[in-house]
Amino acid sequence: MLNVNELYASHIDRVYAFFAYRVTSASDAEDLTSATFERVVRHAHRFDPARASVTTWLFVISENVLVDHYRRQGRRDERDFDEADDRWSAPEDRPSIGLSPELESALGSLNDRERRVIGLRFGADLSGKEIAALVGTSEANVHQLLSRALRRMRTEIGDVSSVR
């Protein structure tokens, strides 16, 4: 039987970080984290360890919560949402989501798929194999996407040592 309290305690930071890499607002990241664990509680009885690890199951739920969030916003994808949310007069006026402004800017330079794998790798701290299972691609493709995204982010930031 799935222990939801233990799952929450051990994964809350990873789920929040995943959303922090994907949305532009700390309050949205907090709301989406909360919505994820609400779904986990409601659907804990559906978890089947024969189909996926608990971590993979949790981040499938997280991704579904994110998709629902964009649908409610009337946006088709993250880029539409990020561009429409540019209501702040200057970047320094924008509320922080816990990432450095340079990192937020570099993430904004990525396409949706790259931002997704970066969020899963560094926000959710998933392995290449786990990301491949979530994204529906090969592990080699995940590593290639990560490499390209990190290279683009390094160029955007302008300092190779700033990005892992």
Side-chain angles (χ1 to χ4, degrees):
M1 175 105 191
L2 183 65
N3 183 333
V4 176
N5 291 331
E6 186 177 300
L7 180 66
Y8 177 84
S10 64
H11 287 79
I12 182 79
D13 292 335
R14 290 172 67 185
V15 172
Y16 176 83
F18 165 74
F19 287 123
Y21 274 85
R22 305 288 298 270
V23 298
T24 58
S25 150
S27 64
D28 284 345
E30 291 167 2
D31 291 346
L32 295 170
T33 300
S34 176
T36 296
F37 284 103
E38 287 173 12
R39 285 192 190 177
V40 165
V41 168
R42 278 196 319 264
H43 301 291
H45 65 280
R46 293 184 181 173
F47 172 67
D48 180 0
R51 293 182 62 201
S53 72
V54 70
T55 302
T56 301
W57 179 74
L58 175 63
F59 284 100
V60 166
I61 291 172
S62 299
E63 290 227 319
N64 289 336
V65 166
L66 186 65
V67 168
D68 291 346
H69 169 75
Y70 289 126
R71 285 186 184 141
R72 280 191 308 277
Q73 296 293 325
R75 312 287 192 284
R76 286 186 308 239
D77 60 32
E78 293 173 44
R79 188 150 312 270
D80 289 345
F81 181 74
D82 291 343
E83 290 168 3
D85 195 32
D86 200 14
R87 64 185 176 264
W88 311 102
S89 58
E92 57 272 5
D93 295 336
R94 200 171 217 191
S96 174
I97 56 173
L99 303 174
S100 73
E102 295 84 9
L103 183 55
E104 287 184 41
S105 175
L107 285 168
S109 72
L110 303 179
N111 66 40
D112 296 335
R113 190 167 185 180
E114 291 168 333
R115 192 166 175 159
R116 181 181 185 195
V117 297
I118 289 290
L120 290 168
R121 176 63 190 103
F122 298 104
D125 198 29
L126 298 181
S127 69
K129 184 177 181 177
E130 291 169 318
I131 296 168
L134 279 170
V135 175
T137 189
S138 70
E139 188 174 352
N141 186 248
V142 167
H143 290 294
Q144 184 178 43
L145 285 166
L146 284 168
S147 177
R148 287 180 186 164
L150 290 172
R151 194 172 23 242
R152 182 174 293 143
M153 291 174 69
R154 285 183 186 111
T155 300
E156 179 72 23
I157 291 173
D159 180 5
V160 175
S161 66
S162 297
V163 179
R164 182 177 174 209

